[in-house]
Amino acid sequence: MPNTDHADHRQHPRREVRILVDLVDNRRVRARTRDLSDGGMFIEWEHPLAPGSLMPATLHLPDGPLELTTVVVWTSPQLSLAVGAGMGMRFVTTSPEDQQRLADFLQSVEE
């Protein structure tokens, strides 16, 4: 059974946003976010990594790619046909400029 209390520990509220993201795990893989916040994201991916795994990620924002280092915080098996497998990831390295770009993007999807 997946850990379902992960939402209770978030510092940054997540928004349901679907954008492409490239992940690098021995090879470059294209996936899609299910939700996104200033501090992390949930990635729909058939082969989630173990919690604690570090992974470079590139978010494909409308104003260009945003490269980040992430850490897997929790994983989820496929729950249903509508909710696929994936992993919750926290951003561990972001510059102030990248943080602002992400905040601007998230604000634009709220409007």
Side-chain angles (χ1 to χ4, degrees), residues 32-82:
R32 187 172 299 276
T33 61
R34 185 164 70 208
D35 59 47
L36 182 65
S37 78
D38 292 333
M41 60 188 165
F42 183 86
I43 298 295
E44 295 177 340
W45 199 24
E46 295 174 8
H47 307 289
L49 299 178
S53 300
L54 288 173
M55 177 176 281
T58 303
L59 296 175
H60 292 278
L61 301 180
D63 67 346
L66 178 62
E67 296 186 12
L68 305 162
T69 300
T70 64
V71 62
V72 177
V73 178
W74 63 279
T75 62
S76 175
Q78 182 164 344
L79 301 176
S80 69
L81 291 177

Side-chain angles (χ1 to χ4, degrees), residues 1-10 74-76 79:
M1 177 177 251
N3 179 1
T4 57
D5 66 348
H6 50 271
D8 298 338
H9 303 295
R10 291 189 187 135
W74 63 279
T75 62
S76 175
L79 301 176

